[in-house]
């Protein structure tokens, strides 16, 4: 039986009288690569923030590596690496100095480990430059280096492919191919989701959630292959973002049609 790294139980989140999350439960084991998808405002990033202890939980619980995020935050977060929305970087410091600051937060990280992750993300030639001189893609790569520096067993990436060039995206995918922990990613990149994810959580604007086995292609084929884990929940209809290409819009429309067939 695989080790359970993350367990969320009946998570609820309210801002005033507005309910943002309604009963989200998820269990993530070692080796799981889980993608969160759905329309903006459906609760994907809020769920991530609750998992990381960045927002208070209205009700429910989050356990990471056996530690409750509310009762034992330091131990729960010790083996977690994350990028939420944008990397947290000091612009007036060099990339190397930013990594040294992260190193000071964890035991047993030496200079060799810093050099290892710098090479992994392809910043060898610019690591001693100030971050203010970096392109958006380089800052994103540095953020990835920060997230994996302490060798976490739970990696959480919110839109990890934003501003990454093709070469750097391939580097990230290669790393994830050999990653032995669990990964949760929030992404609108269909190729990235299909490339790495073995499970999907689809968040709907009415707060219902559907879990699927397989990547994005498996989700597209639901009309023919019923891979839904829980067929009793209401199927999700993601909204089409205006930033999507015509092809992506057509894919989402096809996905809507497939989901409708599940209800018949």
């Amino acid at each position: 039986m695989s080790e359970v790294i993350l367990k969320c139980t009946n998570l609820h989140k309210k801002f005033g009288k507005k309910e943002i999350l309604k009963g989200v439960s998820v269990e993530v084991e070692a080796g799981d690569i889980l993608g969160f998808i759905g329309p903006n405002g459906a609760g994907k990033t809020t769920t991530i923030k609750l998992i990381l202890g960045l927002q208070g939980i209205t009700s429910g619980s989050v356990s990471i590596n056996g530690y409750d995020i509310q009762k034992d935050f330091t131990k729960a977060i010790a083996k977690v690496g994350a990028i939420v929305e944008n990397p947290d970087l000091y612009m007036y410091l060099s990339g190397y100095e930013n990594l040294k600051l992260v190193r000071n937060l964890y035991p047993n990280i030496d200079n060799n480990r810093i050099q290892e992750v710098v090479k992994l993300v392809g910043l060898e030639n610019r690591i001693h430059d100030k971050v203010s001189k970096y392109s958006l893609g380089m800052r994103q790569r540095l953020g990835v280096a920060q997230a994996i520096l302490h060798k976490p067993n739970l990696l959480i990436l919110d839109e990890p492919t934003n501003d990454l060039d093709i070469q750097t995206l391939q580097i990230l995918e290669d790393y994830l191919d050999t990653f032995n922990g669990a990964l949760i990613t929030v992404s609108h990149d269909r190729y990235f989701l299909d490339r790495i994810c073995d499970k999907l959580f689809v968040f709907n604007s009415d707060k219902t959630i559907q879990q699927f086995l397989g990547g994005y292609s498996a989700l597209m084929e639901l009309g023919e292959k019923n891979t839904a884990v829980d067929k009793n929940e209401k199927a999700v209809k993601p909204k089409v973002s205006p930033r999507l290409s015509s092809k992506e819009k057509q894919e989402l429309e096809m996905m809507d049609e497939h989901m409708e067939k599940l209800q018949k």
Side-chain angles (χ1 to χ4, degrees), residues 160-161 169 173 176 185 187 189-196:
T161 61
L169 179 57
E173 290 178 353
L176 294 176
T185 182
S187 180
D189 187 329
R190 275 71 178 159
Y191 168 78
F192 184 73
L193 291 169
D194 203 41
R195 171 76 171 77
I196 69 163

Side-chain angles (χ1 to χ4, degrees), residues 6-201:
L6 169 68
K7 186 175 183 179
C8 302
T9 305
N10 200 27
L11 283 181
H12 289 254
K13 177 63 180 177
K14 289 183 178 181
F15 290 105
K17 295 183 179 180
K18 185 176 181 180
E19 190 166 41
I20 306 301
L21 290 181
K22 185 178 180 180
V24 173
S25 295
V26 58
E27 190 169 293
V28 183
E29 300 179 345
D32 282 349
I33 307 293
L34 180 61
F36 283 3
I37 66 173
N40 292 334
K44 303 183 299 297
T45 296
T46 297
T47 301
I48 295 298
K49 289 181 177 180
L50 296 187
I51 290 171
L52 295 173
L54 299 177
Q55 290 183 355
I57 299 171
T58 302
S59 64
S61 65
V62 172
S63 174
I64 305 175
N65 292 310
Y67 298 103
D68 189 286
I69 195 70
Q70 298 179 99
K71 298 177 181 178
D72 206 341
F73 175 80
T74 301
K75 290 181 179 179
I77 211 72
K79 298 181 72 175
V80 179
I83 301 177
V84 179
E85 295 178 341
N86 293 299
D88 189 10
L89 304 171
Y90 291 96
M91 305 298 286
Y92 59 90
L93 297 178
S94 70
Y96 190 80
E97 289 168 332
N98 271 272
L99 291 177
K100 285 175 64 178
L101 289 176
V102 175
R103 180 188 65 184
N104 293 338
L105 299 175
Y106 302 96
N108 305 320
I109 298 178
D110 57 20
N111 289 333
N112 289 334
R113 176 58 181 169
I114 293 180
Q115 295 298 332
E116 181 181 348
V117 297
V118 167
K119 183 177 181 180
L120 177 66
V121 299
L123 286 176
E124 303 102 306
N125 296 330
R126 299 292 302 277
I127 195 62
H128 294 290
D129 293 348
K130 288 187 176 181
V131 174
S132 60
K133 304 294 184 182
Y134 284 10
S135 67
L136 290 176
M138 292 172 64
R139 293 173 194 170
Q140 196 78 339
R141 280 187 266 169
L142 183 61
V144 172
Q146 286 182 324
I148 66 175
L149 184 63
H150 60 297
K151 298 182 179 180
N153 70 350
L154 175 61
L155 190 58
I156 297 177
L157 303 176
D158 191 348
E159 294 291 356
T161 61
N162 281 359
D163 303 314
L164 291 184
D165 55 40
I166 295 176
Q167 182 179 6
T168 308
L169 179 57
Q170 186 61 55
I171 291 171
L172 177 59
E173 290 178 353
D174 289 344
Y175 172 77
L176 294 176
D177 281 342
T178 60
F179 181 57
N180 294 320
L183 170 72
I184 297 176
T185 182
V186 178
S187 180
H188 291 91
D189 187 329
R190 275 71 178 159
Y191 168 78
F192 184 73
L193 291 169
D194 203 41
R195 171 76 171 77
I196 69 163
C197 291
D198 52 32
K199 295 180 182 178
L200 295 174
F201 257 52

